[in-house]
Amino acid sequence: MFNPTTLTVLESEKNASKPTFEVITGGIETTIQDGWSRKGYLGFGIPPSGPLDKLSFQLGNQLLGNQENTAGLEIQFIGPKLKFLAQTAVVITGANNYPAINHKPVPLWQTLAVRPGDILSFGHPQTGARSYITFAGGINVPALMGSRSTFIKAELGGFQGRSLEPGDIISTFLPYLPLGQIVGQTLPKKMIPEFTHRWVVDILLGPHDDFLTPSDIKQLLNFDWIVSPKSNRIGYRLEGPEFKFTESVRERSARGGYHPSNQIDYGCSIGSVLLCGQTPTILLADCPSLTGYITPCTVINHSLRKVGQARPGDIINFRQVSLEEAIQKYKIATNSTSTNYCLAGYPQRWANQN
Amino acid sequence: MIYPEPRYRLAGEQHLLMELGDDVSLVNNLKAIALAKKISNSSELGLKGIKAITDVIPSFTTVLIQYDPRFLVLDGLIEYCNYCWQKLDKIEELTLPSRLIEIAVAYNDRWSKACYQEYCQTIKPIEPNLELVARLNNFKSLEETIAYHSTPEWWVGAVGFVVGLPTLMPLADDFYLQAPKYDPPRMWTPPGTIGVAGSLTTIYPIVIPDGYQMLGRTPVPIFEPKQTLQPFRDSPFLFRIGDRVKFRPICEEEFEAIEQEVKTEKYQYSITTEETFSLKPYLEKKQLVK
């Protein structure tokens, strides 16, 4: 048995920290997330959590010279208004939500200098759903089960287990590098991830594709699935046509009084595309660890960010890939050196900390 | 049945679903639990300092294995799982530490009914949950359904879904219920709700969307992140795989009284000390062992 109150020492725990900003308004749901994700606790029903668009999040940290998994803020749709209490540097990444400092528009994907008293505010993104604010040094809240990420449903992690509210004062660790060395760093345009209203999401068939007919599978792969407004960090519901299911599954279900999508509860994970009755549901970072619905296909790790950036009404197209392609892309998504945007002259101080 | 050989299902590039059988039974469940324990000890893989297998989740008929495809190829993982399967102890020798935990339940309560009514108004009209379960299982009355559900000991065969949620099967074969899940699922469920679907029962630790039919509600917390109440000193989750649950029907007045006791930290949980649960006597009773 573990004791989850035991805090795990993470990358910068030993550094001093100081209050860096105060929350004026919290936005629709602004949470502290980090890229470490909780690993090994699925058996207790503790999901990985973390930023839904991990790539955008990590690029922000890299521009600041932070370890790429350092805790920052995830903004959903409507951003917060923050008042800075200390001099530091920040980067806004992800969906373009028209950030402004003291009402003056500022760019995304660029390291910005902020001074005490500065107000950071946001407009509404038209494309993409989630934006990130990363801070030089990273946010300091207690780490729980190996991560600082907020899991709102269970009021765990982050700042008091909840999204930010007016009056909250958040501390950050001291920057890794002198601010003068990082301010003004800009991500090359070609490295900015894709933002669209039609998302091509790579999947592997399985574990339960054999419950569907060939025409069901065709429909799954060819239909323009519409993202339902009933979507969140737990799962994304998709709207579209109904599935027929194979005859043997339908017969079994009729005998048992169940829906053909029902299955004896089994372990599931981030990326599972459950068929909840007739509603395909893509599980994301705050997902359950057991389910009683079948999973005809699974979104590969590399494509999860696209789902997290899809807005209600956006279209998702599933593209079937081979296991080899999925593993190739997994290596790209998880190998920090390949995603690492290495700024000239930056010390690779985090190279051995993984 | 238990399959003669495990079946494997690909669940993305980081997960493998191992299927041991096709029905809810204590034998299948204990096999899955024992197998998960063996597989998660990936030191048997001979990999030092690399955690190739990152999580293993047993359930009633399956084991989900999470692995890092950078360190372990699928064929190798399957070979390793087959090896663990062959090395498994005989079924009748499987044992688990087990406690009996009493859970007070206000059946047919007003909170889950309010949630049901909201679903009918906002999603689609469906049959009242307790009535549906009574009808599908040929009970004459709601009282009979409640008595039936609160009679057997229930076995915690899986923990998970969300923060320590237990999935329970009856420890007596005569007490298998059947019920479908919501289609589509609810957007929320009151905390403490007792749900049934298939032949399984669950207790919701927190507000969460799901699809089990709602029979009642318990005032007793089963997840306590602040860890102030006595049973949560070592872990914020009340249930462990292998525990047993007995539901005690209460009225809504008693529900509110217990709720108050919980708030003032005066509530006394009814939990027996740990005993060893062995499959052998259970199987002999079922005359499955030759």
Side-chain angles (χ1 to χ4, degrees):
Chain A
M1 219 43 185
F2 70 103
N3 185 350
T5 55
T6 312
L7 304 182
T8 311
V9 175
L10 290 183
E11 73 287 352
S12 42
E13 198 95 303
K14 286 175 228 126
N15 290 356
S17 75
K18 59 179 175 185
T20 296
F21 65 90
E22 181 183 344
V23 180
I24 309 295
T25 55
I28 208 165
E29 188 183 276
T30 304
T31 54
I32 294 170
Q33 302 291 341
D34 71 19
W36 294 108
S37 77
R38 299 194 168 89
K39 295 182 195 86
Y41 298 105
L42 284 180
F44 299 96
I46 298 291
S49 297
L52 292 195
D53 179 359
K54 204 165 171 177
L55 176 61
S56 292
F57 176 84
Q58 290 181 334
L59 287 168
N61 272 324
Q62 288 169 19
L63 282 167
L64 289 159
N66 289 347
Q67 202 287 339
E68 63 180 6
N69 290 330
T70 303
L73 294 181
E74 179 174 271
I75 299 168
Q76 312 198 73
F77 303 104
I78 297 172
K81 190 190 253 187
L82 309 179
K83 182 182 167 190
F84 283 89
L85 309 172
Q87 185 181 11
T88 187
V90 299
V91 175
I92 323 289
T93 60
N96 184 359
N97 55 356
Y98 305 98
I101 292 177
N102 303 330
H103 303 293
K104 202 176 142 237
V106 289
L108 284 86
W109 314 102
Q110 185 178 317
T111 308
L112 311 165
V114 287
R115 287 181 309 268
D118 280 355
I119 302 278
L120 177 62
S121 59
F122 300 93
H124 305 315
Q126 265 114 44
T127 314
R130 287 174 178 86
S131 318
Y132 297 92
I133 315 175
T134 41
F135 302 83
I139 289 176
N140 177 19
V141 287
L144 186 69
M145 296 180 232
S147 166
R148 295 192 167 86
S149 293
T150 319
F151 177 34
I152 287 193
K153 274 283 161 199
E155 298 171 23
L156 284 180
F159 187 78
Q160 299 175 5
R162 58 167 172 79
S163 56
L164 296 188
E165 289 173 7
D168 290 348
I169 292 178
I170 308 294
S171 293
T172 61
F173 292 108
L174 296 181
Y176 284 83
L177 298 171
L179 295 181
Q181 204 177 322
I182 49 177
V183 168
Q185 294 286 355
T186 308
L187 193 74
K189 235 190 178 124
K190 64 176 196 314
M191 293 197 66
I192 295 175
E194 172 203 8
F195 287 87
T196 174
H197 290 289
R198 180 185 280 271
W199 304 86
V200 179
V201 169
D202 291 349
I203 54 122
L204 280 165
L205 286 183
H208 299 120
D209 48 312
D210 54 332
F211 284 48
L212 298 181
T213 64
S215 72
D216 282 337
I217 300 279
K218 222 171 166 181
Q219 169 178 298
L220 183 74
L221 295 172
N222 294 338
F223 192 77
D224 288 346
W225 295 97
I226 300 164
V227 174
S228 156
K230 296 192 195 89
S231 299
N232 54 30
R233 287 182 45 87
I234 298 174
Y236 259 55
R237 297 186 184 202
L238 305 179
E239 291 164 359
E242 303 213 325
F243 292 87
K244 293 182 197 76
F245 298 93
T246 59
E247 207 164 303
S248 60
V249 176
R250 279 204 314 275
E251 277 173 11
R252 185 199 67 169
S253 308
R255 274 203 317 275
Y258 312 147
H259 191 275
S261 74
N262 290 181
Q263 177 75 346
I264 299 167
D265 289 45
Y266 62 97
C268 60
S269 71
I270 188 166
S272 296
V273 182
L274 308 183
L275 205 46
C276 303
Q278 289 285 2
T279 310
T281 305
I282 307 172
L283 297 186
L284 295 181
D286 288 352
C287 63
S289 62
L290 287 173
T291 180
Y293 295 108
I294 64 160
T295 303
C297 68
T298 308
V299 174
I300 72 168
N301 185 299
H302 186 263
S303 278
L304 286 171
R305 71 157 290 268
K306 297 187 184 178
V307 181
Q309 284 294 5
R311 301 170 63 86
D314 279 5
I315 287 167
I316 285 184
N317 294 123
F318 290 124
R319 185 179 83 99
Q320 188 187 351
V321 296
S322 65
L323 181 61
E324 289 69 32
E325 186 178 340
I327 291 173
Q328 205 52 44
K329 287 185 165 170
Y330 177 86
K331 287 176 179 166
I332 293 169
T334 50
N335 184 353
S336 58
T337 53
S338 60
T339 52
N340 233 340
Y341 165 65
C342 297
L343 295 162
Y346 266 44
Q348 293 292 304
R349 56 183 298 160
W350 57 83
N352 297 321
Q353 290 183 15
N354 235 330
Chain B
M1 64 173 285
I2 295 188
Y3 303 145
E5 297 283 321
R7 296 178 188 175
Y8 294 96
R9 291 173 174 276
L10 193 68
E13 80 277 34
Q14 301 173 72
H15 296 87
L16 179 67
L17 188 63
M18 192 174 180
E19 219 172 62
L20 309 181
D22 63 359
D23 57 0
V24 173
S25 73
L26 201 56
V27 176
N28 275 342
N29 184 225
L30 272 171
K31 273 220 152 179
I33 295 164
L35 197 58
K37 203 172 159 195
K38 218 173 187 55
I39 292 170
S40 60
N41 184 10
S42 65
S43 62
E44 293 200 33
L45 274 170
L47 294 170
K48 281 185 186 151
I50 296 173
K51 206 153 167 49
I53 291 172
T54 45
D55 214 345
V56 185
I57 304 111
S59 186
F60 290 93
T61 56
T62 57
V63 179
L64 181 76
I65 300 130
Q66 183 183 76
Y67 68 105
D68 192 325
R70 290 176 298 178
F71 307 133
L72 198 52
V73 296
L74 182 63
D75 290 349
L77 178 62
I78 290 177
E79 204 173 306
Y80 173 64
C81 291
N82 279 332
Y83 166 82
C84 291
W85 165 263
Q86 282 152 14
K87 287 275 177 179
L88 215 56
D89 292 335
K90 283 200 182 108
I91 305 174
E92 52 268 36
E93 276 153 31
L94 293 175
T95 59
L96 262 185
S98 175
R99 306 167 299 168
L100 181 63
I101 301 174
E102 185 190 272
I103 297 289
V105 184
Y107 285 96
N108 209 13
D109 64 291
R110 64 173 190 264
W111 302 280
S112 65
K113 272 196 233 165
C115 176
Y116 152 80
Q117 275 154 8
E118 191 195 285
Y119 183 90
C120 289
Q121 281 156 16
T122 57
I123 313 271
K124 67 176 189 190
I126 54 166
E127 205 174 334
N129 295 187
L130 194 57
E131 275 86 340
L132 172 76
V133 174
R135 181 174 64 77
L136 287 178
N137 295 281
N138 303 315
F139 293 120
K140 288 184 203 77
S141 64
L142 301 187
E143 289 72 28
E144 199 186 328
T145 317
I146 293 166
Y148 187 86
H149 188 262
S150 54
T151 297
E153 281 182 10
W154 291 79
W155 169 259
V156 179
V159 175
F161 183 64
V162 70
V163 293
L165 175 144
T167 308
L168 314 159
M169 58 172 276
L171 264 181
D173 285 356
D174 313 340
F175 287 90
Y176 272 65
L177 284 164
Q178 56 153 300
K181 297 185 180 95
Y182 275 49
D183 171 23
R186 290 181 296 278
M187 286 309 284
W188 69 287
T189 310
T193 295
I194 311 297
V196 298
S199 55
L200 303 172
T201 283
T202 196
I203 308 170
Y204 293 91
I206 57 171
V207 178
I208 189 93
D210 195 35
Y212 278 47
Q213 305 289 333
M214 300 179 283
L215 297 194
R217 191 177 174 217
T218 180
V220 179
I222 63 163
F223 165 64
E224 224 249 286
K226 294 194 178 78
Q227 298 187 253
T228 49
L229 297 169
Q230 205 280 326
F232 299 98
R233 293 285 148 83
D234 293 334
S235 152
F237 316 111
L238 181 61
F239 294 109
R240 307 171 200 157
I241 283 181
D243 282 338
R244 289 158 298 137
V245 176
K246 181 82 168 63
F247 294 111
R248 179 169 68 86
I250 57 169
C251 58
E252 287 188 5
E253 287 71 35
E254 192 174 345
F255 181 101
E256 283 164 339
I258 294 177
E259 205 175 31
Q260 205 50 44
E261 282 178 19
V262 168
K263 254 182 213 154
T264 53
E265 294 179 24
K266 286 193 184 104
Y267 179 71
Q268 291 292 320
Y269 279 76
S270 165
I271 303 174
T272 63
T273 49
E274 216 165 75
E275 343 162 18
T276 301
F277 182 89
S278 156
L279 195 53
K280 202 170 187 178
Y282 178 84
L283 288 179
E284 276 164 359
K285 211 163 69 192
K286 287 186 70 182
Q287 295 170 333
L288 280 178
V289 171
K290 282 167 200 152

